[in-house]
Each structure stands twice: as C-alpha cells, then as structure tokens.
Amino acid sequence: MTDHELPTTAYVILGMLRLGASSGYEIKKAVQVSTRFFWTISEAQIYPMLRRLEDARLISGRDAPTGRRRRRVYELTDLGESALTDWLERREPTPFEVRDVAMLKLFFADAVGEDAALDLVEQLRTRSESELRELQGQVQPAEELARSTGNRFPALSLQAGISVHLALIQASDELSASLTRAD
Amino acid sequence: MTDHELPTTAYVILGMLRLGASSGYEIKKAVQVSTRFFWTISEAQIYPMLRRLEDARLISGRDAPTGRRRRRVYELTDLGESALTDWLERREPTPFEVRDVAMLKLFFADAVGEDAALDLVEQLRTRSESELRELQGQVQPAEELARSTGNRFPALSLQAGISVHLALIQASDELSASLTRAD
DNA sequence: CCTAACATGTAAACTGTTACATGATTCC
DNA sequence: GGAATCATGTAACAGTTTACATGTTAGG
C-alpha cells in the first residue's frame, strides 16, 4: 500500500505535520529554519501539495480561520502516517546532491588571479560561518522540541550540519594558508 | 559585456573546455569524475548548451571525426574566456544548496523505531565512505593535472570535499554512539 | 563476435523558482 | 497610520532528468 511515487517534498510536508506544524504557512516557516539546510521547498510547492495529499487521504484538513483571516489546518491520517514511516524505512539510493556555485567557482579558480581566487575562498568561509550561526541558533529550539515532544532527531541532525560547516571553515583556512604561502 | 544571464551549467562547460576537455563527451566524463561532487550536469544539457554557447560566440567548434565516427570539438573564444573570468570574479550570493534525502530522513527519524533510525545513520555513514573513496581516487589525477598544466584548483577544491565527508563520517559515528548509549 | 566505450542527440515529463496577486491582523 | 507578519494561492518560466534513439570503433 501507501503510494510509492510521492516526491520528496511530500514527505517533508508529512514529516512537518507530524512534528506539530498545522498550516501551510507553519510548514513553510518550519522548513525555513530547519530542513532548509538539506532540503528547501517554496510556497508554490506547499499549497498545491497539501491539496494533493488531502485528495490522496494522507492528510485531512479543515478550515480554522483566525477572525476573518482564512486559514486551513491539516493533520496526518493513519494512511499518511504509514506513508511517512514506509518512506523512512525504505532503503533506497540517496545520493549526496549538492549544487554549490561557490565550490564550483573554486574548482575553476585557476582562470583568475591570486587575489580573486583568495576572494573565492573567503566567500566560502564567510558563507559557512553564517550557515553555522544559523544552525547554532536552532540548537536550543530543537532541544526544547526534544524535551517537550520527545522528538530528538531534529536536534541530532542539526549536529551533522554543524560538523559540515566547521569542516568547511577549517578547509577554507587551510586553503588560504596554502595559497598565501606559495606566493 | 559578456552575457550576465548564462545558467551555471554554461560556466561548467566553459570551465571544462578551459581545463582541456574538447568534446561534449569529454566534458560529460570530466564532470562525472570531478565537479560532480558539487555540481552535476547530464548529456541532455551539455549538447544543447554547446550549441547555445557556439551561437553566442563564447566557444568555437569544428568537426573532428575519428574515422567514420562523428565528433565535434570546441574551444573557448576570447569572449568565452572573459565570460568565464567575469563569472568567477563576480561577487554574487552563492547559497549552500543541498538536497539530501538521507539527512532529511534522519531529521524525521523520530517517526520510526530505534533500529530503523540506526539504519538511517548507517546509510549516511556508508554513503560518505563511498563518496570519500571516489574523491580520494581523484587526488592523484588532479595533482597530475596541476603538475602538467599548472591548474591547481581542481586538486585544492577536492580537499574541501574530502573534509566534508570526513566530518560526516565522524558525525555519523557520534550519532550512532549517542543513540545506542541511550538504550 | 561481442561488449564496452566513444559520440551525439531529442522528446516528454517533472520539478522548482520567481514574480505576482490578494487580503487580514498585530504591534509599534 | 504603517510595517511586519499571517495566510493562501497562481501563472509563467527555467532548469533538469529519464528514457529513448542511433551509430562507430577498439579490444578481448
């Protein structure tokens, strides 16, 4: 059972509903602060997908306006819950897909002068620093979620992201050093 | 001058031509062994893009069949060269875009049992090990390229990729440990 | 002889983003 | 009163993958 053909985006929505988000808007915000580090989705995907999932009976929705402001909240159905766990338990190839213009530019940096190349390394470092700050800003909320709901994996997976950017910062430093050394 | 509106894929092709690839087929292979770690492109993009770039005079092509087997080789024009360097020198936001189903599953792993969750961590580790092996397999060829052509950034950027996967392997181990500890 | 590698390409489908559009409510 | 946030949505476009299609040549 349970549809095998859902796009990953659908599982993000199912997963976020399970973690307590209820409206499309809340899902959007939750993605922006958490899964964003390894999967992004935009509003233009969320709202149509919510309908699709409701049509497929994986979630059930009801209108819950605040005053005159419309609002529709959803929750997982049993079918949706099992679609989510099936996906999580399904062993499938999960390639590491990165689309990183900064690294790409670094790869081709021989085409430009030393200053420009150093600048690219610097951009790489700065970016990882800011990603790191944002990830670290999520540590406390994630731990709070673990305490209050028992869902501890959001906090745990945060650590993996933090490790990646710490590694990239260190790699950038080593790169700058080896470039300036070889003046 | 030099078109501001080229997709990133176009610069990958320009960059690879600069590094010595000459045909679409060679570009494809070069991408598969090197930039693949931070940017992938498929054949279905390469051949149409080569034409577009030729139309835009950023590259020039000529037929160079081997026997009866057709083959078209390209080289950068001056215009193409400056499009590439302009892109490299252009400071632009380069967000860290990762689409990682494995990490995503880990984020939602509270929905499944301990065994399944440990399995997800294991998958993460195994994947980084195999990525690491492939990256390390590229170290010697990249160093050889540096020696023979003076292009040293392919080898240097490889190190950043290696750091990332070493960090992910370590993070996976720490994750497994903290999960089994908390039996 | 047959397989792997060389070599190029297209059509259809899918995925995803950007920009736009609309309106309500809260907080300063 | 105005800005930020809440809230939902669509249309057009851009980018990408998958599957298919075709043929050559080198090496075992």
Side-chain angles (χ1 to χ4, degrees):
Chain A
M1 250 257 134
T2 60
D3 199 353
H4 205 278
E5 307 304 320
L6 291 173
T8 304
T9 296
Y11 296 107
V12 177
I13 290 173
L14 295 177
M16 285 303 185
L17 286 173
R18 194 189 155 277
L19 288 176
S22 56
S23 63
Y25 189 79
E26 279 180 20
I27 291 169
K28 187 191 88 182
K29 277 202 312 176
V31 167
Q32 273 167 1
V33 297
S34 49
T35 59
R36 162 178 105 62
F37 300 102
F38 32 88
W39 200 277
T40 58
I41 52 180
S42 62
E43 301 159 35
Q45 284 173 282
I46 291 172
Y47 293 107
M49 185 58 78
L50 281 168
R51 288 222 202 127
R52 248 179 87 181
L53 292 172
E54 194 173 9
D55 289 346
R57 319 257 177 222
L58 299 182
I59 64 180
S60 69
R62 63 185 172 79
D63 290 323
T66 43
R68 207 166 298 154
R69 184 199 286 158
R70 75 166 163 171
R71 181 159 158 270
R72 191 169 176 81
V73 295
Y74 299 88
E75 46 183 60
L76 281 183
T77 62
D78 290 345
L79 199 58
E81 182 96 35
S82 67
L84 179 62
T85 56
D86 281 1
W87 173 68
L88 289 170
E89 286 167 356
R90 187 153 71 231
R91 266 180 172 274
E92 64 189 329
T94 55
F96 189 65
E97 289 170 60
V98 180
R99 301 188 81 72
D100 187 347
V101 175
M103 284 284 276
L104 196 58
K105 284 188 174 187
L106 193 65
F107 185 88
F108 293 122
D110 290 293
V112 292
E114 182 116 342
D115 288 351
L118 271 168
D119 201 54
L120 288 172
V121 179
E122 178 58 24
Q123 280 177 56
L124 204 66
R125 191 194 204 283
T126 309
R127 190 188 60 177
S128 276
E129 278 168 355
S130 93
E131 290 282 305
L132 189 58
R133 269 194 304 275
E134 286 186 66
L135 280 161
Q136 279 165 344
Q138 287 308 307
V139 169
Q140 296 223 356
E143 281 172 357
E144 175 53 28
L145 180 84
R147 263 193 302 277
S148 62
T149 69
N151 291 298
R152 54 191 178 148
F153 279 92
L156 291 172
S157 54
L158 220 48
Q159 293 305 318
I162 288 172
S163 301
V164 165
H165 289 289
L166 285 174
L168 279 171
I169 289 170
Q170 211 192 317
S172 301
D173 287 343
E174 282 161 16
L175 241 160
S176 305
S178 80
L179 287 177
T180 46
R181 225 188 358 256
D183 264 350
Chain B
M1 247 259 139
T2 63
D3 198 352
H4 206 278
E5 305 305 321
L6 291 174
T8 304
T9 296
Y11 296 107
V12 177
I13 291 173
L14 295 178
M16 284 303 184
L17 287 173
R18 193 190 155 276
L19 288 177
S22 56
S23 65
Y25 190 77
E26 278 180 20
I27 291 168
K28 188 191 89 183
K29 278 202 312 176
V31 167
Q32 273 168 1
V33 297
S34 49
T35 58
R36 163 179 104 62
F37 299 102
F38 31 86
W39 200 277
T40 58
I41 53 180
S42 62
E43 302 159 35
Q45 284 173 281
I46 291 173
Y47 293 107
M49 186 57 80
L50 281 169
R51 288 221 202 126
R52 248 179 87 181
L53 292 172
E54 195 174 7
D55 289 347
R57 320 257 177 220
L58 299 182
I59 63 179
S60 69
R62 62 184 172 81
D63 289 324
T66 43
R68 205 166 299 151
R69 184 198 286 156
R70 75 166 164 171
R71 181 159 157 271
R72 191 170 175 80
V73 294
Y74 299 89
E75 46 184 62
L76 282 183
T77 62
D78 290 345
L79 199 59
E81 182 95 34
S82 68
L84 179 62
T85 56
D86 280 2
W87 172 67
L88 289 170
E89 285 167 357
R90 187 152 73 231
R91 268 180 171 273
E92 63 189 330
T94 55
F96 188 65
E97 288 171 59
V98 180
R99 302 188 81 72
D100 187 347
V101 175
M103 284 284 277
L104 196 59
K105 284 188 173 186
L106 194 65
F107 185 89
F108 293 123
D110 290 294
V112 292
E114 183 116 341
D115 289 351
L118 271 168
D119 201 54
L120 288 173
V121 179
E122 179 58 24
Q123 281 176 55
L124 204 66
R125 192 194 204 283
T126 308
R127 190 187 60 178
S128 277
E129 279 169 353
S130 91
E131 290 281 304
L132 189 58
R133 269 194 303 275
E134 287 187 64
L135 282 161
Q136 279 164 344
Q138 287 310 307
V139 169
Q140 296 222 356
E143 281 172 356
E144 175 52 29
L145 180 84
R147 262 193 303 278
S148 63
T149 69
N151 290 297
R152 54 193 178 146
F153 279 93
L156 291 173
S157 54
L158 220 48
Q159 294 304 318
I162 287 172
S163 301
V164 166
H165 288 290
L166 285 173
L168 278 171
I169 289 170
Q170 211 192 316
S172 301
D173 287 342
E174 281 161 18
L175 241 159
S176 305
S178 81
L179 286 177
T180 45
R181 226 191 354 259
D183 265 349

